[in-house]
Amino acid sequence: MPALIFPDFEAYSNSVKGIDGEMRVTGRGDDAWLLNCLELGEATLLHGIDGAPVHYHGAPHDRHFGVYLALPGSQTTLDGQLLGEDSFTWLAPRVELHGFTRVPARFLGIDLGERLLMEQAARVDGLDVPRLYRTGTITTTAAMVGHVTAMVQRAFDVREARPDAFAEAGPRQAFAAQLA
């Protein structure tokens, strides 16, 4: 599916997968609202461009986790934490979050089904599984955030070059497992 262009933020907000919430425009915006989605079965990738600064509150769906990565220049704050090039926000099922942007933001989002995530988590020794059920900003390294960003962008690039690349279950499942 190619990027969707929305004339207003309401249609855009209603099209974001894996999360229910409310978005309010808080500043001037003359740009289009763009959303590019890639469905991979138990995972969905999102690349969004907000058409204006916004205030947002919402929560992921039941049995869905999320990752929110603010792209450079976005000036995004979620739950009181300014996201930078060395951080992302982990979203737990049904845990509400609040955020705002000072400028029209660009972001990458990953929606992960609980079953997929728990299958992958079972393979990681020492992982604090209950921690996965808490929303919060994760500070890591710019290199790690860059790695995840590049992996998501690579999936969009592959689909653009070969629209049928993820038509079969095998490639979708393999990439979704890699993300998880």
Side-chain angles (χ1 to χ4, degrees):
M1 173 171 86
L4 302 174
I5 301 172
F6 298 92
D8 62 67
F9 77 97
E10 183 123 3
Y12 169 85
S13 176
N14 291 338
S15 295
V16 176
K17 304 283 186 191
I19 193 164
D20 285 323
E22 181 178 302
M23 185 182 295
R24 289 183 300 144
V25 173
T26 60
R28 182 176 169 92
D30 297 326
D31 297 327
W33 298 80
L34 304 172
L35 186 62
N36 196 357
C37 298
L38 178 54
E39 302 276 347
L40 298 169
E42 295 241 9
T44 301
L45 306 179
L46 305 165
H47 176 220
I49 301 174
D50 296 346
V54 300
H55 176 265
Y56 180 84
H57 74 273
H61 296 163
D62 191 33
R63 300 185 186 278
H64 284 263
F65 294 85
V67 176
Y68 181 96
L69 297 124
L71 295 175
S74 294
Q75 299 181 25
T76 300
T77 300
L78 291 175
D79 284 346
Q81 298 290 315
L82 180 63
L83 296 180
E85 63 182 36
D86 64 346
S87 61
F88 62 90
T89 298
W90 176 256
L91 309 169
R94 301 181 61 159
V95 176
E96 190 167 301
L97 75 147
H98 299 271
F100 66 91
T101 62
R102 291 177 180 87
V103 298
R106 298 178 323 113
F107 69 91
L108 294 176
I110 304 170
D111 173 57
L112 297 166
E114 183 177 53
R115 185 182 65 79
L116 171 68
L117 188 64
M118 289 304 121
E119 285 175 1
Q120 297 303 313
R123 297 183 174 125
V124 179
D125 290 332
L127 180 66
D128 181 10
V129 173
R131 174 66 183 100
L132 295 175
Y133 288 87
R134 292 184 288 214
T135 289
T137 298
I138 308 296
T139 301
T140 180
T141 65
M144 179 55 79
V145 172
H147 174 71
V148 173
T149 300
M151 192 167 40
V152 170
Q153 186 58 53
R154 185 176 71 233
F156 283 117
D157 291 345
V158 165
R159 189 207 36 210
E160 186 174 323
R162 286 192 22 236
D164 64 340
F166 294 106
E168 301 293 323
R172 282 193 314 267
Q173 291 168 345
F175 194 80
Q178 186 180 4
L179 279 169

